[in-house]
C-alpha cells in the first residue's frame, strides 16, 4: 500500500516512538484505519487486529500482575487489570503517542476527529499488528512499554476491594461497621451459589448472589457503594 510522503514521514516517526519497526507497513496502516474510512475506500480496517491485540494486552498484563502481586486474589487482580487497560487508559496513551493524528477516518468523522474510544481501539489494534508482524515477544514488549506509563495507578490503594472500601467509608462516617449474613445456598457442592445480605445496624444495604460467599459479599458491597455514590 502506498502512502503520501507526509504520512510516510509521520509513520516513520511514530514507529521510532513506538520502539518497533514494522516489516509489513500495511499492518500498521490497517491498525490505524477505522471502518468508516475503509468503507469509503475499499481497504482493510482494524477490528480484527483489535480483537487480537485485546487478547495480547490481557495476557501480558495478567502475567505481569500475577508475578508482581503474589498476595492478591483473583478479584483484586481482575480489578487492577481493568484499571490499567481500560478505554480511558488506552486513549490517554494514544494521545501521548500521537496516535489520533494518524488514524484514518471517513469523511463523516473528519470534522469532529477520532473519538477517545476509536483511539483506544487503535491502540489494541496496534498490539495485534505487532503480534502479526513480529511475534508475541515483540508485542509483549510493546504492551510492557505501555504498562510502564501506568505504574502510577498500580499501587494497592487503587485496588481496594469493595468490602474494604465500604468499611472505611462507614468508619469515616462514625457508623456501625457493615456485616454480612449468608441467607441461602443452592446447587451441588461443586457448583453452589450463595446469597448474602449486607447489613449495618438493623438496616439492609444490599443482597447479592455469588459462586462463593466471598464473591457474594464483594457484589453486595459493590451494590452498596454504588448506592452511596449515587
Amino acid at each position: 500500500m502506498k502512502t503520501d510522503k507526509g504520512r510516510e514521514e509521520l509513520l516513520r516517526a511514530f514507529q521510532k516512538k513506538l520502539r518497533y519497526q514494522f516489516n509489513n507497513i500495511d499492518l500498521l496502516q490497517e491498525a490505524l484505519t477505522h471502518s468508516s474510512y475503509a468503507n469509503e475506500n475499499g481497504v482493510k480496517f482494524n477490528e480484527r487486529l483489535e480483537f487480537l491485540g485485546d487478547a495480547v494486552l490481557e495476557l501480558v498484563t495478567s502475567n505481569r500482575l500475577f508475578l508482581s502481586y503474589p498476595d492478591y486474589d483473583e478479584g483484586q487482580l481482575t480489578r487492577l487489570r481493568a484499571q490499567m487497560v481500560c478505554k480511558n487508559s488506552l486513549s490517554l496513551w494514544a494521545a501521548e503517542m500521537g496516535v489520533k493524528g494518524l488514524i484514518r477516518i471517513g469523511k463523516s468523522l473528519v470534522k469532529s476527529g477520532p473519538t477517545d474510544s476509536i483511539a483506544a481501539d487503535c491502540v489494541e489494534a496496534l498490539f495485534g499488528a505487532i503480534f502479526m508482524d513480529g511475534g508475541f515477544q515483540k508485542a509483549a514488549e510493546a504492551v510492557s512499554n505501555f504498562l510502564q506509563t501506568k505504574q502510577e495507578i498500580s499501587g494497592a490503594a487503587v485496588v481496594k476491594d469493595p468490602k474494604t472500601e465500604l468499611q472505611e467509608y462507614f468508619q469515616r462516617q462514625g457508623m456501625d461497621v457493615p456485616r454480612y449474613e449468608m441467607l441461602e445456598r443452592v446447587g451441588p457442592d461443586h457448583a453452589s451459589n450463595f446469597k448474602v445480605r449486607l447489613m449495618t445496624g438493623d438496616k439492609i444495604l444490599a443482597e447479592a448472589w455469588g459462586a462463593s460467599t466471598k464473591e457474594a459479599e464483594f457484589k453486595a458491597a459493590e451494590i452498596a457503594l454504588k448506592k452511596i455514590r449515587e
Side-chain angles (χ1 to χ4, degrees):
M1 179 184 296
K2 294 182 179 180
T3 61
D4 60 65
K5 290 294 182 182
R7 185 170 176 81
E8 285 179 1
E9 291 177 6
L10 288 172
L11 292 179
R12 276 196 294 269
F14 174 70
Q15 289 174 89
K16 288 180 181 179
K17 201 170 184 180
L18 188 61
R19 286 185 273 178
Y20 181 78
Q21 185 72 36
F22 277 84
N23 298 302
N24 181 0
I25 199 67
D26 286 356
L27 283 168
L28 176 56
Q29 292 278 31
E30 184 179 337
L32 295 169
T33 301
H34 186 251
S35 58
S36 60
Y37 180 94
N39 292 335
E40 292 175 4
N41 294 273
V43 296
K44 291 183 178 179
F45 56 98
N46 61 11
E47 286 184 1
R48 282 172 55 83
L49 288 176
E50 178 194 340
F51 164 80
L52 184 59
D54 177 62
V56 174
L57 177 62
E58 184 168 311
L59 177 58
V60 174
T61 306
S62 297
N63 181 61
R64 183 187 184 111
L65 295 176
F66 184 85
L67 297 175
S68 298
Y69 298 91
D71 297 327
Y72 281 16
D73 61 28
E74 180 268 345
Q76 289 172 305
L77 291 171
T78 298
R79 283 186 288 278
L80 180 50
R81 183 182 65 198
Q83 291 177 72
M84 295 183 74
V85 301
C86 67
K87 291 291 185 183
N88 182 59
S89 182
L90 290 166
S91 66
L92 286 173
W93 190 73
E96 294 165 9
M97 294 291 290
V99 171
K100 273 193 172 183
L102 297 171
I103 301 172
R104 300 193 296 183
I105 52 178
K107 294 175 183 177
S108 62
L109 297 176
V110 169
K111 186 175 181 180
S112 59
T115 63
D116 289 343
S117 179
I118 289 174
D121 292 343
C122 281
V123 172
E124 292 181 337
L126 279 169
F127 296 145
I130 295 173
F131 177 84
M132 291 299 297
D133 190 71
F136 178 76
Q137 187 57 44
K138 292 296 183 182
E141 289 172 9
V143 171
S144 293
N145 291 337
F146 158 74
L147 293 176
Q148 282 298 116
T149 69
K150 305 304 164 191
Q151 286 302 304
E152 70 274 8
I153 65 167
S154 62
V158 179
V159 288
K160 287 178 184 174
D161 64 73
K163 288 179 64 178
T164 300
E165 189 176 346
L166 185 67
Q167 181 169 324
E168 290 181 354
Y169 170 81
F170 274 77
Q171 288 173 335
R172 288 195 302 270
Q173 301 299 317
M175 301 168 66
D176 291 338
V177 174
R179 68 182 190 277
Y180 301 83
E181 300 175 354
M182 211 263 281
L183 297 178
E184 193 174 349
R185 173 179 173 174
V186 298
D189 290 341
H190 67 279
S192 295
N193 278 290
F194 302 83
K195 186 177 183 180
V196 165
R197 173 179 290 164
L198 170 57
M199 307 274 294
T200 179
D202 296 327
K203 184 179 180 181
I204 299 173
L205 296 177
E207 293 181 354
W209 286 89
S212 66
T213 53
K214 186 174 183 179
E215 180 181 314
E217 288 172 358
F218 273 25
K219 288 182 177 179
E222 287 173 345
I223 292 170
L225 284 168
K226 185 177 180 181
K227 290 179 180 177
I228 289 168
R229 289 169 184 147
E230 290 175 349

